[in-house]
Amino acid sequence: MDHKEGMYKVRDLALAEEGRRLIDWAESRMPVMMALRAKYAETQPLKGYRIAGCLHVTKETAVLVRTLAAAGAEVSWSGCNPLSTHDAVAAALADEGINIYAWHGLSVEDFYWCIDQTLLINPNLTLDDGADLIFTVHNKYPELVQTIIGGTEETTTGVHRLRAMADDGALNYPVIAVNDAETKWDFDNVYGTGQSTLDGIIRATSVMLAGKNFVVAGYGHCGKGVALRAKGMGANVIVTEVKPTAALKATLEGMRVMEMDEAAKHGDVFVTATGIKDVIVKRHFESMKDGAIVCNTGHYDCEINIADLEAIASGKREIRNSNEEYVTSDGRRIYLLAQGRLVNLAAAEGHPSEVMDMSFANQFMSQIRLAEMHKSGEPWENKVYDIPAEQDQEIARLKLDTMSIGIDELTPEQIEYMDNYAAGT
Ligand code: ADE
């Protein structure tokens, strides 16, 4: 482990060159971020701001970190999941002078130690994926709230909890819900999760998906993306849901919908994408077929009850990377991928750079918005704020430009027609 007090702790600084090449590759696929970097490197809107971030340390995240730094911020970083850090990327960032505390496979205790270290810069902005950093500030270092002007949150799970916190009056600084930008949830959550989850399953198993019964728990944006991609690869997709409208949508989109108690008997591959705990529990493991593959793509590792699996297993072994074989007392083999942590980041590389380009453009612009709010001298309330609609359209337009895709423009007559409530048949 390479450790420099108050600066970084990463697996191996010698991996920096490999990390730089990975980041270069991501930059070549993230033109919106590169355009924003060039623009804001000139104006330095984040100069004088200290940002603590807690978000998966991937090549795409490195592009975000470099862009925040180019816009003038001092940045400190930790990963937001014990298994998602790419050690080469972490080494490259440490080598570039970023305060970073992250390595693959850290313990839960080390996970929180890393967050603690990022707070040593005394941040005035926070950037989260899953809200662990904000929770740590509120629960362990409440005095930091005096100087923190705001934060941003990347995920559905994190935003959900922060809204609950705000409703209880327990949120002590304003947060922007990056997840709720259309250019985030309607792309990253659907197409990003769809592709990267299948990527993780395939890297961990190399199984053929065509013809398999592929069970997706949850038909929110992420579950929908996974189901669509699995269907596209020829799997027979089964969806389980608790929300009637989502179940109906899945049905009309050609998925079979049933209760998990029934799906457990049929599935060859199971993916949880609900954000809820105990989606797959003992009675489900007990009725699964020999050879069933089980994994999770939700933020936290509580969707699959691993203690229940351990309880019915007579033994386990690592059969290949990110793939553990559990043998039940009646001799069935059940394969758990990535220890029940998000399979797309733990067994693969997370969402592709192209889609993170838009998600991280929203993160970056939101951090700038918070700094601008601070400079204006008019503080916001301690609430969860949405992304402005104009930011969404601006990012989508930039993305289209980089793809050389032109779109039409409404004429003044068309605009007048749209708004004219006197016109009818
Ligand atoms: N979340 C999902 N995919 C990601 C990626 N490639 N980088 C950072 N966070 C992610």
Side-chain angles (χ1 to χ4, degrees):
M1 203 73 73
D2 279 316
H3 186 191
K4 191 164 173 188
E5 202 66 34
M7 275 295 290
Y8 58 77
K9 186 165 181 180
V10 298
R11 174 78 60 199
D12 180 1
L13 215 49
L15 297 171
E17 178 46 33
E18 181 190 336
R20 268 191 291 278
R21 274 184 272 123
L22 289 170
I23 302 168
D24 285 351
W25 172 250
E27 287 185 346
S28 77
R29 315 276 119 189
M30 298 176 78
V32 173
M33 287 302 286
M34 298 312 282
L36 293 175
R37 189 187 296 174
K39 176 173 172 185
Y40 291 103
E42 301 246 315
T43 53
Q44 296 282 291
L46 294 174
K47 195 163 179 58
Y49 290 92
R50 298 176 303 280
I51 302 174
C54 178
L55 192 147
H56 306 292
V57 179
T58 64
K59 59 192 185 305
E60 291 76 23
T61 300
V63 178
L64 170 64
V65 170
R66 281 182 176 178
T67 307
L68 292 166
E74 185 188 343
V75 183
S76 67
W77 214 264
S78 70
C80 66
N81 184 286
L83 295 185
S84 64
T85 292
H86 288 228
D87 285 324
V89 171
L93 290 176
D95 198 44
E96 288 171 19
I98 300 293
N99 307 281
I100 180 160
Y101 307 88
W103 60 97
H104 184 90
L106 42 65
S107 65
V108 171
E109 194 190 347
D110 284 339
F111 176 86
Y112 285 105
W113 179 85
C114 289
I115 290 183
D116 289 350
Q117 302 311 300
T118 63
L119 293 171
L120 292 175
I121 63 163
N122 199 10
N124 38 27
L125 288 161
T126 61
L127 189 158
D128 257 285
D129 183 340
D132 282 317
L133 174 61
I134 294 191
F135 295 156
T136 302
V137 168
H138 279 70
N139 299 333
K140 197 168 167 192
Y141 303 104
E143 69 283 1
L144 288 179
V145 164
Q146 311 302 326
T147 44
I148 296 180
I149 57 176
T152 53
E153 168 55 52
E154 174 84 3
T155 56
T156 315
T157 307
V159 167
H160 189 89
R161 290 186 178 186
L162 291 169
R163 287 197 197 281
M165 214 168 150
D167 288 347
D168 279 354
L171 184 65
N172 291 329
Y173 57 85
V175 175
I176 299 182
V178 170
N179 179 73
D180 296 359
E182 195 180 343
T183 43
K184 199 281 182 180
W185 65 262
D186 214 7
F187 297 88
D188 168 315
N189 299 20
V190 182
Y191 310 107
T193 310
Q195 178 165 325
S196 61
T197 300
L198 292 206
D199 186 9
I201 293 169
I202 291 168
R203 289 194 204 196
T205 64
S206 83
V207 294
M208 183 157 98
L209 294 176
K212 293 277 191 302
N213 289 336
F214 192 104
V215 180
V216 183
Y219 205 71
H221 306 120
C222 296
K224 175 179 160 165
V226 175
L228 285 174
R229 290 297 175 258
K231 194 174 173 207
M233 291 191 73
N236 303 310
V237 180
I238 296 170
V239 167
T240 70
E241 250 301 340
V242 292
K243 193 174 171 189
T245 46
L248 201 54
K249 216 178 277 177
T251 305
L252 299 196
E253 282 169 4
M255 318 293 167
R256 285 173 71 201
V257 177
M258 60 183 77
E259 291 103 332
M260 183 57 89
D261 283 353
E262 185 61 23
K265 298 179 210 158
H266 302 287
D268 298 303
V269 181
F270 294 81
V271 183
T272 54
T274 68
I276 312 288
K277 71 177 207 169
D278 291 342
V279 176
I280 297 182
V281 295
K282 194 170 175 195
R283 69 176 189 282
H284 302 128
F285 291 123
E286 278 169 343
S287 60
M288 280 181 193
K289 299 194 280 195
D290 177 34
I293 295 164
V294 182
C295 65
N296 164 56
T297 199
H299 187 79
Y300 290 113
D301 63 341
C302 58
E303 304 203 18
I304 301 164
N305 192 318
I306 298 170
D308 279 1
L309 180 57
E310 302 259 350
I312 63 162
S314 58
K316 73 168 175 183
R317 61 177 172 153
E318 184 173 14
I319 194 126
R320 46 187 282 153
N321 267 348
S322 306
N323 185 339
E324 282 173 307
E325 178 190 68
Y326 287 77
V327 181
T328 61
S329 39
D330 58 359
R332 286 169 303 119
R333 292 159 296 179
I334 294 176
Y335 297 93
L336 177 68
L337 308 187
Q339 299 167 36
R341 296 206 181 267
L342 8 80
V343 71
N344 58 336
L345 280 137
E349 291 174 60
H351 303 351
S353 309
E354 288 86 343
V355 83
M356 295 314 293
D357 197 20
M358 289 197 288
S359 308
F360 286 163
N362 278 301
Q363 276 288 3
F364 179 67
M365 294 309 296
S366 299
Q367 290 284 324
I368 291 181
R369 243 180 102 211
L370 287 167
E372 277 167 0
M373 171 270 287
H374 178 241
K375 286 175 206 164
S376 77
E378 288 174 28
W380 293 355
E381 289 171 55
N382 297 339
K383 289 196 321 198
V384 177
Y385 286 82
D386 282 331
I387 298 268
E390 312 83 67
Q391 182 177 310
D392 250 335
Q393 295 310 323
E394 192 184 319
I395 289 173
R397 186 170 290 281
L398 259 173
K399 187 73 181 170
L400 285 169
D401 285 350
T402 66
M403 297 163 89
S404 305
I405 295 174
I407 58 170
D408 295 327
E409 220 175 286
L410 288 172
T411 63
E413 292 75 21
Q414 285 175 315
I415 293 171
E416 196 197 326
Y417 172 81
M418 280 200 312
D419 295 341
N420 186 352
Y421 50 84
T425 305

